[in-house]
Amino acid sequence: MATTKWANDSVMDAALDKIATATALRVCSGTSSPTTLAAAVSATLATTALTSGDFTKADGATNGRKVTVAQKSTLTIDTSGDATCVCLDDGTNLLFVTTCTTQTLTAGGTVTVPTWSDTISDPS
């Protein structure tokens, strides 16, 4: 008899719920993604506050669960550099890092982070 792999949606939702506690979105630079909040802060080019209303949790596109982060428009660019990733943190912990299309940002300008999502797939 084959072993079935399965996880209750609440297991995946717990991870996505933690991501949704983020209070800041950071557009960061660097040749590698930050793995600590201190590294993300030092690599920040632009930042904005997040609230619980910026997150929507739902079934995944094909299987699993996903959290969608709302678009954040016209963030002020504080530091010039090449944007390489977007980071979410709760002021104490770096919670999530994802890549973005690399683009050169110039201090004093603005940048928009479009709506994006992360999916945790059902076990397979």
Side-chain angles (χ1 to χ4, degrees), residues 24-90:
L25 178 147
R26 299 175 184 280
V27 178
C28 297
S29 65
T31 56
S32 63
S33 296
T35 57
T36 65
L37 180 55
V41 168
S42 71
T44 297
L45 305 176
T47 187
T48 190
L50 295 172
T51 67
S52 60
D54 289 315
F55 299 93
T56 305
K57 198 172 54 184
D59 285 331
T62 56
N63 64 18
R65 305 290 286 168
K66 75 176 178 179
V67 64
T68 300
V69 182
Q71 176 175 300
K72 301 307 274 183
S73 300
T74 60
L75 281 66
T76 300
I77 302 166
D78 298 313
T79 305
S80 296
D82 291 333
T84 57
C85 61
V86 175
C87 302
L88 302 178
D89 71 77
D90 63 6

Side-chain angles (χ1 to χ4, degrees), residues 101-120:
T101 302
T102 301
Q103 59 182 315
T104 301
L105 303 183
T106 304
T110 62
V111 63
T112 295
V113 177
T115 298
W116 59 279
S117 63
D118 181 62
T119 300
I120 298 176

